[in-house]
Amino acid sequence: MMARALLTVILGLSLLLAGAAASWAAAPPTLSDPQVPLAHSLAAFRQAVRPGGPGKDGIPAIDRPRFVSASEADAWLASGDRVIGLYRDGEARAYPQRVLVWHEIVNDVVAGESLAITYCPLTGSALGFRRGDSEFGVSGRLLNSNLVMYDRATDSEWPQLLGVAIDGSLVGRGLVPERLVWTTWEAWRARHPGTRVLSRDTGYVRNYRRDPYGDYNPVAGYYRPESRRLFPVMAEDTRLPPKAMVLAFREAEGAAAVSLPALREAGMVRLTLGERAYAYVVIHDPELDTGWVFRTSAGQAIDPASLRFGPGGVSGPGIEALEPVNAFQVMWFAWAGFHPDTLLVGEGGVP
Amino acid sequence: MTALARLLAALFSRPATLAMMAATALGYALLFLWLSGDIAGGGRGDVRLSITAWHRMFESRGPLRFEPVGLVELGPWVWTLSPLDTLIALGLGLLLGGNLAGLWLSRRAPAACPRRAPASGGLAALPALLAGGACCAPLLVVWLGLPIAGGLAVLAPWLIPLAYLALLLGLVRLAVWREQQRHQARGGGR
């Protein structure tokens, strides 16, 4: 009798351990020391999470994405429609905003790498992450108005803009980012004529001709820079209108945002972060209307006139030696909510 | 219960009240489906019906919100058709119609007592209009730009059941009032 009970306990424990090991094996690749400055403790972030309305997976991620050619997409995408672009090892993909607004996450494989393409309409942010054998889903919860994702291997919770798990077995670990570009269909198509485009055949029925929040072409409704946010945030900063789009990046030493009108006008912005004054250069890409960020040394000269823009981003004398830093566009209120100490370049004009 | 049954019998046996209930049910359902985003713009002037996802009919996408199974295009409108959302909307509309028709019926009857029929039942249909909406906020809140979506999201699971309950209570109050009227009338006649 005693032996049978012991055997049952051992078997149960083994099954539990095997289950945990299997979910860990399928967990997304993570960094134990994410290069993300945390303005609050993970417990404070957890406490600030709010229900968004729909339940877990109420906004369904696209797990088996289908793609169409650029000429097929021309039939339903207008030149000024926003797309989220990805270029990796010679493959270009465009994920139309009007499709992603209904799904928020695409679990895709591009050039052999499993990636999660994520988009939060409430914060206007598109970020890519490596996902390994796991998939990501929409938790239905928000932090600073921003999408909280979960990974289906460990059920850990990841605010999209933070990219660091705030709950679950991967708590404190960071995801590996992948650069995405927020631009127009016309600009992306011109840069990548052979791009594939996420199809509207998603397996779900949605009205892909309409965005429930407003419009980006032209900007209207919720997306107007001066319009108000809908959900609470942990910190407010009125240096810019709430939904002004900024190009943002961060490393362990600090966070920075560059206002887009200022970047457009300046063409190139240099800035330093942290006590040790790490230097960065932000280069405006006039065709895609985005920025490319590099870590640099203070005196390193870059001649803007010699820069070229191609499928992989910016190139030119001196660029290859620099270390690229992931950057993305995001609404100002959300960036300031996560990074209240952020440096802001271009407040009220050109730096 | 008998009082409610009598009221329902009265409502369903008169063409005028029946028409009022049907019109209200349809009107409310259209409003509900529009505010919850199931009916929206984006149509290209065609008339088209495509049902492609019957298997998703019972999949939930939020508290008492279900996946659409097909697309109905009618002129400038596009309806992402969820049979269960539509049933919920029609049910609420029918209850609202019952409240309005019951009130109309009671106002037309000769009053045996000075107390007027309870008229608050119609307001009970309002909370449900805030239940649906965009991915993460009721459409009314998005359009008005009100920073209250966080509070509403907490209430969201309760808004539709609350509306159902309040509309049912409205009908019950009307039925009880009618019963009291009948008793008063009988007492007065003796």
Side-chain angles (χ1 to χ4, degrees):
Chain A
M1 200 65 185
M2 193 68 177
R4 185 181 286 181
L6 196 65
L7 198 66
T8 312
V9 169
I10 290 170
L11 199 67
L13 278 174
S14 313
L15 280 172
L16 265 175
L17 284 172
S23 67
W24 264 89
T30 53
L31 307 164
S32 58
D33 185 21
Q35 298 294 295
V36 177
L38 297 177
H40 307 277
S41 68
L42 294 175
F45 280 129
R46 277 195 296 276
Q47 276 180 353
V49 170
R50 297 279 178 273
K56 196 173 185 176
D57 290 324
I59 298 168
I62 301 174
D63 295 332
R64 271 167 283 283
R66 296 188 177 107
F67 291 86
V68 296
S69 67
S71 51
E72 281 174 273
D74 275 334
W76 54 278
L77 278 178
S79 317
D81 282 358
R82 294 298 187 279
V83 297
I84 293 145
L86 166 70
Y87 180 79
R88 185 184 169 82
D89 292 343
E91 275 192 44
R93 293 203 175 166
Y95 304 86
Q97 181 269 345
R98 61 161 75 180
V99 177
L100 255 65
V101 73
W102 294 104
H103 297 281
E104 302 193 0
I105 295 175
V106 182
N107 288 302
D108 201 357
V109 178
V110 185
E113 183 71 53
S114 299
L115 299 171
I117 311 303
T118 71
Y119 168 66
C120 176
L122 290 172
T123 54
S125 47
L127 282 85
F129 300 105
R130 294 191 192 170
R131 63 180 174 87
D133 291 331
S134 181
E135 289 176 338
F136 281 84
V138 179
S139 73
R141 304 182 339 134
L142 300 167
L143 174 59
N144 283 325
S145 210
N146 178 236
L147 153 72
V148 175
M149 319 178 291
Y150 76 96
D151 73 87
R152 292 181 183 150
T154 70
D155 207 26
S156 300
E157 293 203 337
W158 312 81
Q160 181 221 28
L161 275 174
L162 213 53
V164 174
I166 57 166
D167 209 350
S169 55
L170 296 178
V171 70
R173 299 183 72 89
L175 291 170
V176 183
E178 186 80 18
R179 176 67 204 254
L180 300 180
V181 174
W182 172 259
T183 187
T184 61
W185 169 232
E186 183 181 33
W188 186 256
R189 198 192 197 292
R191 175 72 57 91
H192 303 277
T195 186
R196 304 286 292 165
V197 182
L198 180 68
S199 161
R200 292 173 298 174
D201 183 8
T202 59
Y204 292 89
V205 178
R206 292 290 185 276
N207 184 353
Y208 293 118
R209 292 185 205 144
R210 183 188 147 269
D211 179 333
Y213 293 102
D215 211 325
Y216 274 107
N217 184 25
V219 174
Y222 177 84
Y223 305 126
R224 283 180 300 111
E226 305 286 347
S227 66
R228 286 190 287 181
R229 58 178 171 74
L230 300 174
F231 289 86
V233 289
M234 297 173 84
E236 286 193 85
D237 190 323
T238 55
R239 281 182 282 170
L240 285 180
K243 292 168 190 169
M245 290 292 263
V246 293
L247 183 82
F249 69 95
R250 70 298 184 83
E251 291 210 289
E253 51 266 26
V258 183
S259 98
L260 278 166
L263 181 62
R264 275 181 210 124
E265 203 167 334
M268 191 164 79
V269 171
R270 287 181 181 275
L271 56 94
T272 55
L273 281 181
E275 287 172 4
R276 291 162 73 181
Y278 285 104
Y280 297 86
V281 60
V282 185
I283 297 167
H284 183 238
D285 184 329
E287 290 146 25
L288 296 180
D289 193 26
T290 188
W292 302 98
V293 180
F294 298 91
R295 197 165 174 162
T296 176
S297 54
Q300 210 156 357
I302 296 170
D303 173 17
S306 67
L307 298 177
R308 292 181 306 279
F309 297 93
V314 59
S315 59
I319 293 288
E320 280 71 21
L322 305 179
E323 189 188 331
V325 175
N326 188 49
F328 46 87
Q329 270 145 271
V330 57
M331 290 173 185
W332 167 245
F333 83 90
W335 182 250
F338 278 102
H339 299 291
D341 302 326
T342 184
L343 174 78
L344 173 62
V345 179
E347 175 191 353
V350 182
Chain B
M1 266 333 253
T2 325
L4 186 60
R6 276 206 196 97
L7 174 65
L8 291 178
L11 291 176
F12 280 97
S13 61
R14 290 169 170 80
T17 48
L18 205 56
M20 192 185 278
M21 286 198 300
T24 310
L26 191 67
Y28 182 86
L30 288 174
L31 180 67
F32 178 93
L33 293 172
W34 178 55
L35 285 175
S36 65
D38 282 13
I39 293 177
R44 290 182 176 162
D46 308 335
V47 177
R48 198 167 63 94
L49 166 73
S50 79
I51 306 285
T52 52
W54 277 116
H55 59 285
R56 297 210 184 272
M57 191 162 101
F58 297 104
E59 278 181 27
S60 168
R61 56 173 164 157
L64 287 176
R65 295 263 292 142
F66 296 90
E67 278 291 333
V69 300
L71 216 76
V72 181
E73 209 173 316
L74 194 68
W77 301 102
V78 175
W79 178 14
T80 44
L81 168 64
S82 159
L84 295 186
D85 284 2
T86 309
L87 271 179
I88 288 169
L90 282 171
L92 282 166
L94 199 62
L95 281 174
L96 174 64
N99 272 277
L100 296 180
L103 191 65
W104 178 74
L105 211 57
S106 57
R107 292 275 161 92
R108 283 188 70 230
C113 75
R115 199 163 62 87
R116 302 194 75 182
S120 58
L123 295 177
L126 294 179
L129 296 179
L130 291 170
C135 313
C136 291
L139 279 180
L140 264 180
V141 172
V142 174
W143 293 335
L144 297 174
L146 300 175
I148 56 165
L152 276 174
V154 177
L155 295 175
W158 305 103
L159 291 172
I160 291 177
L162 187 77
Y164 262 105
L165 193 67
L167 284 167
L168 270 172
L169 278 176
L171 266 184
V172 169
R173 284 179 68 199
L174 269 174
V176 170
W177 182 87
R178 265 174 63 88
E179 211 60 15
Q180 285 169 348
Q181 286 285 93
R182 279 160 57 89
H183 285 298
Q184 293 269 351
R186 270 196 214 131
R190 254 176 233 153

mmCIF file of all heavy atoms in Angstrom, chain B residues 113-151:
data_model
loop_
_atom_site.group_PDB
_atom_site.id
_atom_site.type_symbol
_atom_site.label_atom_id
_atom_site.label_comp_id
_atom_site.label_asym_id
_atom_site.label_seq_id
_atom_site.Cartn_x
_atom_site.Cartn_y
_atom_site.Cartn_z
ATOM 1 N N CYS B 113 -55.956 53.847 -10.415
ATOM 2 C CA CYS B 113 -55.328 54.465 -9.253
ATOM 3 C C CYS B 113 -54.404 55.583 -9.745
ATOM 4 O O CYS B 113 -53.985 55.567 -10.901
ATOM 5 C CB CYS B 113 -54.557 53.440 -8.421
ATOM 6 S SG CYS B 113 -53.014 52.950 -9.140
ATOM 7 N N PRO B 114 -54.137 56.564 -8.908
ATOM 8 C CA PRO B 114 -53.372 57.718 -9.375
ATOM 9 C C PRO B 114 -51.900 57.407 -9.684
ATOM 10 O O PRO B 114 -51.231 58.179 -10.353
ATOM 11 C CB PRO B 114 -53.485 58.703 -8.207
ATOM 12 C CG PRO B 114 -53.822 57.877 -7.017
ATOM 13 C CD PRO B 114 -54.570 56.690 -7.500
ATOM 14 N N ARG B 115 -51.380 56.264 -9.188
ATOM 15 C CA ARG B 115 -49.965 55.953 -9.409
ATOM 16 C C ARG B 115 -49.739 55.575 -10.877
ATOM 17 O O ARG B 115 -50.463 54.728 -11.419
ATOM 18 C CB ARG B 115 -49.548 54.795 -8.480
ATOM 19 C CG ARG B 115 -48.051 54.695 -8.276
ATOM 20 C CD ARG B 115 -47.760 53.835 -7.056
ATOM 21 N NE ARG B 115 -48.254 52.476 -7.214
ATOM 22 C CZ ARG B 115 -47.554 51.501 -7.784
ATOM 23 N NH1 ARG B 115 -46.346 51.730 -8.239
ATOM 24 N NH2 ARG B 115 -48.062 50.291 -7.871
ATOM 25 N N ARG B 116 -48.765 56.190 -11.532
ATOM 26 C CA ARG B 116 -48.526 55.936 -12.955
ATOM 27 C C ARG B 116 -47.696 54.662 -13.137
ATOM 28 O O ARG B 116 -46.990 54.227 -12.230
ATOM 29 C CB ARG B 116 -47.794 57.110 -13.591
ATOM 30 C CG ARG B 116 -48.545 58.405 -13.449
ATOM 31 C CD ARG B 116 -47.978 59.460 -14.363
ATOM 32 N NE ARG B 116 -48.390 59.207 -15.742
ATOM 33 C CZ ARG B 116 -48.006 59.958 -16.771
ATOM 34 N NH1 ARG B 116 -47.208 60.968 -16.568
ATOM 35 N NH2 ARG B 116 -48.407 59.697 -17.993
ATOM 36 N N ALA B 117 -47.784 54.104 -14.315
ATOM 37 C CA ALA B 117 -47.027 52.877 -14.607
ATOM 38 C C ALA B 117 -45.527 53.158 -14.566
ATOM 39 O O ALA B 117 -45.094 54.236 -14.980
ATOM 40 C CB ALA B 117 -47.415 52.371 -15.988
ATOM 41 N N PRO B 118 -44.718 52.221 -14.063
ATOM 42 C CA PRO B 118 -43.265 52.445 -13.997
ATOM 43 C C PRO B 118 -42.675 52.566 -15.404
ATOM 44 O O PRO B 118 -42.898 51.702 -16.240
ATOM 45 C CB PRO B 118 -42.747 51.199 -13.269
ATOM 46 C CG PRO B 118 -43.828 50.178 -13.395
ATOM 47 C CD PRO B 118 -45.121 50.901 -13.558
ATOM 48 N N ALA B 119 -41.913 53.632 -15.620
ATOM 49 C CA ALA B 119 -41.478 53.930 -16.993
ATOM 50 C C ALA B 119 -39.969 53.824 -17.181
ATOM 51 O O ALA B 119 -39.448 54.242 -18.191
ATOM 52 C CB ALA B 119 -41.951 55.333 -17.365
ATOM 53 N N SER B 120 -39.277 53.269 -16.196
ATOM 54 C CA SER B 120 -37.813 53.276 -16.271
ATOM 55 C C SER B 120 -37.246 52.090 -17.040
ATOM 56 O O SER B 120 -36.042 52.016 -17.272
ATOM 57 C CB SER B 120 -37.238 53.287 -14.853
ATOM 58 O OG SER B 120 -37.722 52.157 -14.162
ATOM 59 N N GLY B 121 -38.121 51.145 -17.444
ATOM 60 C CA GLY B 121 -37.635 49.918 -18.090
ATOM 61 C C GLY B 121 -36.774 50.170 -19.312
ATOM 62 O O GLY B 121 -35.799 49.486 -19.558
ATOM 63 N N GLY B 122 -37.145 51.194 -20.113
ATOM 64 C CA GLY B 122 -36.425 51.462 -21.354
ATOM 65 C C GLY B 122 -34.956 51.814 -21.133
ATOM 66 O O GLY B 122 -34.094 51.446 -21.928
ATOM 67 N N LEU B 123 -34.666 52.501 -20.035
ATOM 68 C CA LEU B 123 -33.283 52.911 -19.752
ATOM 69 C C LEU B 123 -32.382 51.701 -19.531
ATOM 70 O O LEU B 123 -31.159 51.779 -19.716
ATOM 71 C CB LEU B 123 -33.246 53.803 -18.504
ATOM 72 C CG LEU B 123 -33.973 55.145 -18.632
ATOM 73 C CD1 LEU B 123 -33.916 55.886 -17.301
ATOM 74 C CD2 LEU B 123 -33.326 55.984 -19.725
ATOM 75 N N ALA B 124 -33.003 50.591 -19.149
ATOM 76 C CA ALA B 124 -32.223 49.388 -18.847
ATOM 77 C C ALA B 124 -31.488 48.856 -20.066
ATOM 78 O O ALA B 124 -30.543 48.077 -19.941
ATOM 79 C CB ALA B 124 -33.157 48.318 -18.293
ATOM 80 N N ALA B 125 -31.913 49.298 -21.261
ATOM 81 C CA ALA B 125 -31.262 48.795 -22.477
ATOM 82 C C ALA B 125 -29.962 49.524 -22.767
ATOM 83 O O ALA B 125 -29.205 49.121 -23.642
ATOM 84 C CB ALA B 125 -32.213 48.948 -23.660
ATOM 85 N N LEU B 126 -29.695 50.595 -22.056
ATOM 86 C CA LEU B 126 -28.516 51.415 -22.379
ATOM 87 C C LEU B 126 -27.175 50.757 -22.048
ATOM 88 O O LEU B 126 -26.253 50.832 -22.855
ATOM 89 C CB LEU B 126 -28.615 52.787 -21.697
ATOM 90 C CG LEU B 126 -29.773 53.666 -22.210
ATOM 91 C CD1 LEU B 126 -29.804 54.988 -21.466
ATOM 92 C CD2 LEU B 126 -29.644 53.920 -23.711
ATOM 93 N N PRO B 127 -27.031 50.115 -20.856
ATOM 94 C CA PRO B 127 -25.696 49.587 -20.537
ATOM 95 C C PRO B 127 -25.155 48.644 -21.609
ATOM 96 O O PRO B 127 -23.955 48.676 -21.905
ATOM 97 C CB PRO B 127 -25.887 48.823 -19.218
ATOM 98 C CG PRO B 127 -27.207 49.212 -18.695
ATOM 99 C CD PRO B 127 -27.984 49.845 -19.786
ATOM 100 N N ALA B 128 -26.032 47.852 -22.212
ATOM 101 C CA ALA B 128 -25.557 46.866 -23.185
ATOM 102 C C ALA B 128 -24.928 47.541 -24.395
ATOM 103 O O ALA B 128 -24.084 46.955 -25.073
ATOM 104 C CB ALA B 128 -26.703 45.972 -23.625
ATOM 105 N N LEU B 129 -25.323 48.788 -24.666
ATOM 106 C CA LEU B 129 -24.765 49.476 -25.832
ATOM 107 C C LEU B 129 -23.291 49.819 -25.623
ATOM 108 O O LEU B 129 -22.580 50.143 -26.561
ATOM 109 C CB LEU B 129 -25.554 50.760 -26.121
ATOM 110 C CG LEU B 129 -27.013 50.544 -26.505
ATOM 111 C CD1 LEU B 129 -27.706 51.875 -26.737
ATOM 112 C CD2 LEU B 129 -27.134 49.676 -27.754
ATOM 113 N N LEU B 130 -22.839 49.762 -24.380
ATOM 114 C CA LEU B 130 -21.426 50.038 -24.097
ATOM 115 C C LEU B 130 -20.602 48.758 -24.021
ATOM 116 O O LEU B 130 -19.402 48.791 -23.766
ATOM 117 C CB LEU B 130 -21.304 50.779 -22.756
ATOM 118 C CG LEU B 130 -21.833 52.208 -22.751
ATOM 119 C CD1 LEU B 130 -21.875 52.734 -21.339
ATOM 120 C CD2 LEU B 130 -20.948 53.087 -23.613
ATOM 121 N N ALA B 131 -21.258 47.631 -24.225
ATOM 122 C CA ALA B 131 -20.574 46.360 -23.976
ATOM 123 C C ALA B 131 -19.603 45.985 -25.092
ATOM 124 O O ALA B 131 -18.522 45.487 -24.846
ATOM 125 C CB ALA B 131 -21.595 45.261 -23.799
ATOM 126 N N GLY B 132 -20.002 46.228 -26.332
ATOM 127 C CA GLY B 132 -19.172 45.752 -27.431
ATOM 128 C C GLY B 132 -18.146 46.774 -27.819
ATOM 129 O O GLY B 132 -17.731 47.581 -27.008
ATOM 130 N N GLY B 133 -17.703 46.726 -29.068
ATOM 131 C CA GLY B 133 -16.838 47.793 -29.535
ATOM 132 C C GLY B 133 -15.583 47.329 -30.210
ATOM 133 O O GLY B 133 -15.515 46.238 -30.753
ATOM 134 N N ALA B 134 -14.591 48.200 -30.183
ATOM 135 C CA ALA B 134 -13.327 47.921 -30.858
ATOM 136 C C ALA B 134 -12.596 46.815 -30.114
ATOM 137 O O ALA B 134 -13.122 46.237 -29.167
ATOM 138 C CB ALA B 134 -12.503 49.189 -30.879
ATOM 139 N N CYS B 135 -11.378 46.583 -30.562
ATOM 140 C CA CYS B 135 -10.601 45.500 -29.957
ATOM 141 C C CYS B 135 -10.562 45.642 -28.434
ATOM 142 O O CYS B 135 -10.730 44.701 -27.707
ATOM 143 C CB CYS B 135 -9.185 45.539 -30.500
ATOM 144 S SG CYS B 135 -9.126 45.713 -32.264
ATOM 145 N N CYS B 136 -10.367 46.867 -27.967
ATOM 146 C CA CYS B 136 -10.168 47.041 -26.526
ATOM 147 C C CYS B 136 -10.976 48.172 -25.933
ATOM 148 O O CYS B 136 -10.644 48.666 -24.871
ATOM 149 C CB CYS B 136 -8.698 47.300 -26.235
ATOM 150 S SG CYS B 136 -7.682 45.879 -26.540
ATOM 151 N N ALA B 137 -12.021 48.620 -26.562
ATOM 152 C CA ALA B 137 -12.798 49.712 -25.961
ATOM 153 C C ALA B 137 -14.146 49.808 -26.656
ATOM 154 O O ALA B 137 -14.240 49.544 -27.854
ATOM 155 C CB ALA B 137 -12.050 51.026 -26.096
ATOM 156 N N PRO B 138 -15.176 50.189 -25.917
ATOM 157 C CA PRO B 138 -16.473 50.385 -26.571
ATOM 158 C C PRO B 138 -16.364 51.485 -27.630
ATOM 159 O O PRO B 138 -15.688 52.488 -27.411
ATOM 160 C CB PRO B 138 -17.385 50.825 -25.422
ATOM 161 C CG PRO B 138 -16.688 50.397 -24.180
ATOM 162 C CD PRO B 138 -15.223 50.428 -24.486
ATOM 163 N N LEU B 139 -17.027 51.282 -28.765
ATOM 164 C CA LEU B 139 -16.874 52.236 -29.866
ATOM 165 C C LEU B 139 -17.317 53.639 -29.486
ATOM 166 O O LEU B 139 -16.709 54.616 -29.904
ATOM 167 C CB LEU B 139 -17.664 51.751 -31.083
ATOM 168 C CG LEU B 139 -16.942 50.690 -31.912
ATOM 169 C CD1 LEU B 139 -17.782 50.277 -33.093
ATOM 170 C CD2 LEU B 139 -15.604 51.213 -32.410
ATOM 171 N N LEU B 140 -18.382 53.728 -28.670
ATOM 172 C CA LEU B 140 -18.850 55.059 -28.256
ATOM 173 C C LEU B 140 -17.734 55.811 -27.545
ATOM 174 O O LEU B 140 -17.539 57.007 -27.754
ATOM 175 C CB LEU B 140 -20.033 54.914 -27.297
ATOM 176 C CG LEU B 140 -21.432 55.006 -27.909
ATOM 177 C CD1 LEU B 140 -22.495 54.841 -26.830
ATOM 178 C CD2 LEU B 140 -21.627 56.335 -28.628
ATOM 179 N N VAL B 141 -17.002 55.091 -26.702
ATOM 180 C CA VAL B 141 -15.911 55.694 -25.931
ATOM 181 C C VAL B 141 -14.770 56.102 -26.873
ATOM 182 O O VAL B 141 -14.174 57.167 -26.723
ATOM 183 C CB VAL B 141 -15.436 54.701 -24.848
ATOM 184 C CG1 VAL B 141 -14.183 55.202 -24.168
ATOM 185 C CG2 VAL B 141 -16.545 54.499 -23.828
ATOM 186 N N VAL B 142 -14.494 55.252 -27.870
ATOM 187 C CA VAL B 142 -13.448 55.582 -28.841
ATOM 188 C C VAL B 142 -13.840 56.843 -29.611
ATOM 189 O O VAL B 142 -13.053 57.775 -29.764
ATOM 190 C CB VAL B 142 -13.225 54.409 -29.831
ATOM 191 C CG1 VAL B 142 -12.236 54.807 -30.920
ATOM 192 C CG2 VAL B 142 -12.726 53.175 -29.101
ATOM 193 N N TRP B 143 -15.099 56.879 -30.083
ATOM 194 C CA TRP B 143 -15.533 58.028 -30.890
ATOM 195 C C TRP B 143 -15.542 59.313 -30.067
ATOM 196 O O TRP B 143 -15.200 60.371 -30.553
ATOM 197 C CB TRP B 143 -16.937 57.771 -31.447
ATOM 198 C CG TRP B 143 -16.966 56.666 -32.448
ATOM 199 C CD1 TRP B 143 -15.918 56.232 -33.228
ATOM 200 C CD2 TRP B 143 -18.077 55.835 -32.784
ATOM 201 N NE1 TRP B 143 -16.325 55.179 -34.009
ATOM 202 C CE2 TRP B 143 -17.640 54.909 -33.770
ATOM 203 C CE3 TRP B 143 -19.396 55.752 -32.360
ATOM 204 C CZ2 TRP B 143 -18.463 53.956 -34.331
ATOM 205 C CZ3 TRP B 143 -20.223 54.796 -32.924
ATOM 206 C CH2 TRP B 143 -19.759 53.906 -33.892
ATOM 207 N N LEU B 144 -15.983 59.200 -28.817
ATOM 208 C CA LEU B 144 -16.062 60.396 -27.989
ATOM 209 C C LEU B 144 -14.705 60.743 -27.362
ATOM 210 O O LEU B 144 -14.539 61.811 -26.793
ATOM 211 C CB LEU B 144 -17.107 60.207 -26.876
ATOM 212 C CG LEU B 144 -18.552 60.004 -27.374
ATOM 213 C CD1 LEU B 144 -19.475 59.678 -26.212
ATOM 214 C CD2 LEU B 144 -19.039 61.255 -28.096
ATOM 215 N N GLY B 145 -13.756 59.814 -27.451
ATOM 216 C CA GLY B 145 -12.414 60.059 -26.909
ATOM 217 C C GLY B 145 -12.412 60.194 -25.397
ATOM 218 O O GLY B 145 -11.659 60.981 -24.839
ATOM 219 N N LEU B 146 -13.239 59.407 -24.736
ATOM 220 C CA LEU B 146 -13.322 59.517 -23.276
ATOM 221 C C LEU B 146 -12.307 58.585 -22.618
ATOM 222 O O LEU B 146 -12.230 57.406 -22.973
ATOM 223 C CB LEU B 146 -14.734 59.140 -22.794
ATOM 224 C CG LEU B 146 -15.870 60.003 -23.339
ATOM 225 C CD1 LEU B 146 -17.211 59.458 -22.886
ATOM 226 C CD2 LEU B 146 -15.705 61.443 -22.874
ATOM 227 N N PRO B 147 -11.543 59.100 -21.654
ATOM 228 C CA PRO B 147 -10.525 58.240 -21.024
ATOM 229 C C PRO B 147 -11.119 57.361 -19.923
ATOM 230 O O PRO B 147 -10.604 57.303 -18.821
ATOM 231 C CB PRO B 147 -9.529 59.259 -20.469
ATOM 232 C CG PRO B 147 -10.340 60.480 -20.216
ATOM 233 C CD PRO B 147 -11.496 60.477 -21.154
ATOM 234 N N ILE B 148 -12.215 56.700 -20.231
ATOM 235 C CA ILE B 148 -12.885 55.901 -19.200
ATOM 236 C C ILE B 148 -12.961 54.429 -19.587
ATOM 237 O O ILE B 148 -13.636 53.641 -18.929
ATOM 238 C CB ILE B 148 -14.322 56.410 -18.929
ATOM 239 C CG1 ILE B 148 -15.120 56.423 -20.241
ATOM 240 C CG2 ILE B 148 -14.308 57.791 -18.303
ATOM 241 C CD1 ILE B 148 -16.610 56.553 -20.032
ATOM 242 N N ALA B 149 -12.246 54.069 -20.655
ATOM 243 C CA ALA B 149 -12.346 52.690 -21.132
ATOM 244 C C ALA B 149 -11.833 51.699 -20.079
ATOM 245 O O ALA B 149 -12.325 50.582 -19.992
ATOM 246 C CB ALA B 149 -11.570 52.535 -22.431
ATOM 247 N N GLY B 150 -10.851 52.151 -19.281
ATOM 248 C CA GLY B 150 -10.302 51.268 -18.244
ATOM 249 C C GLY B 150 -11.384 50.838 -17.262
ATOM 250 O O GLY B 150 -11.495 49.668 -16.916
ATOM 251 N N GLY B 151 -12.198 51.805 -16.825
ATOM 252 C CA GLY B 151 -13.284 51.496 -15.889
ATOM 253 C C GLY B 151 -14.350 50.639 -16.540
ATOM 254 O O GLY B 151 -14.851 49.679 -15.949
#
